[in-house]
Structure formats: C-alpha cells, structure tokens
Amino acid sequence: MYVVIQKNTRGVLEIEEKALIDLITYLVRTNSKNLDSDDIKVHIFVKHEVVLFVNIELFISNIDEQIQDENNITSVIEEAIVQTLQIKPKNVSYVYTHK
C-alpha cells in the first residue's frame, strides 16, 4: 500500500507506508530508553493527500516506562519526515497502553 502525498505541481510523491512506519518506529526506539520495536505501534493517517497525522501507540508494563521527553522525540520525527517527504506532520500523538 502506498501513501500518496502531493509533493508539488509537477507530480505526486509515493512512499510505501511500511517504510514510513519503520522510520518512525526506529526514531522512537532510539530516542527512548526502555522500549523495543515490539512495544511500539505506529499509525499513519493522510487527509486530503497533504495533511499527515502520526499516532504512536506505546505498550508499557508500568508508568515508569513512559517516555519522559515526548517533545524531543516529536521534533526528531517531524525533522525526519520533513527531510524525507518535505511536509511537516500536522500532529504527532502518543497513546500509552498497558501490556
């Protein structure tokens, strides 16, 4: 499945959704302490082909595993997506779910 995002007036940028999910999962895992790839699930929503929403679901066993610096991780994710797709996500949200 491809996420189609309008890049400019000359064409459309297509990117595989799994590649973008893997990129965001990697960024969250490397910038947080106690999480591995199995504890992270990323959801991507595209609206009107130019608005990108990112929802990151984190599976934790206790409240101490909560990410302390969400703002830093959000800025790293936004920077990586801007460099990759040349659009800024409208929203990056976090959901904590008990294992």
Side-chain angles (χ1 to χ4, degrees):
M1 176 177 182
Y2 288 91
V3 175
V4 179
I5 299 171
Q6 184 71 30
K7 183 177 178 184
N8 56 28
T9 57
R10 292 180 286 163
V12 173
L13 173 67
E14 291 185 355
I15 184 167
E16 190 172 344
E17 184 176 353
K18 182 164 176 20
L20 189 56
I21 289 171
D22 288 345
L23 172 67
I24 295 169
T25 302
Y26 173 77
L27 293 171
V28 172
R29 187 172 40 89
T30 57
N31 288 291
S32 59
K33 294 181 182 174
N34 298 324
L35 296 173
D36 57 3
S37 295
D38 295 335
D39 296 334
I40 302 166
K41 186 172 184 181
V42 177
H43 305 278
I44 298 172
F45 306 100
V46 179
K47 188 172 182 177
H48 303 296
E49 298 180 350
V50 293
V51 180
L52 177 66
F53 296 93
V54 178
N55 184 7
I56 302 168
E57 187 174 6
L58 303 168
F59 298 96
I60 58 174
S61 57
N62 60 25
I63 196 67
D64 296 332
E65 293 180 13
Q66 184 175 353
I67 294 177
Q68 300 299 321
D69 196 7
E70 288 179 3
N71 292 334
N72 182 38
I73 295 174
T74 300
S75 64
V76 168
I77 291 169
E78 288 176 348
E79 183 180 326
I81 293 174
V82 167
Q83 288 177 356
T84 305
L85 302 177
Q86 293 157 358
I87 63 168
K88 184 176 179 183
K90 181 78 171 174
N91 186 20
V92 177
S93 61
Y94 296 89
V95 176
Y96 292 94
T97 305
H98 185 58
K99 287 185 191 179

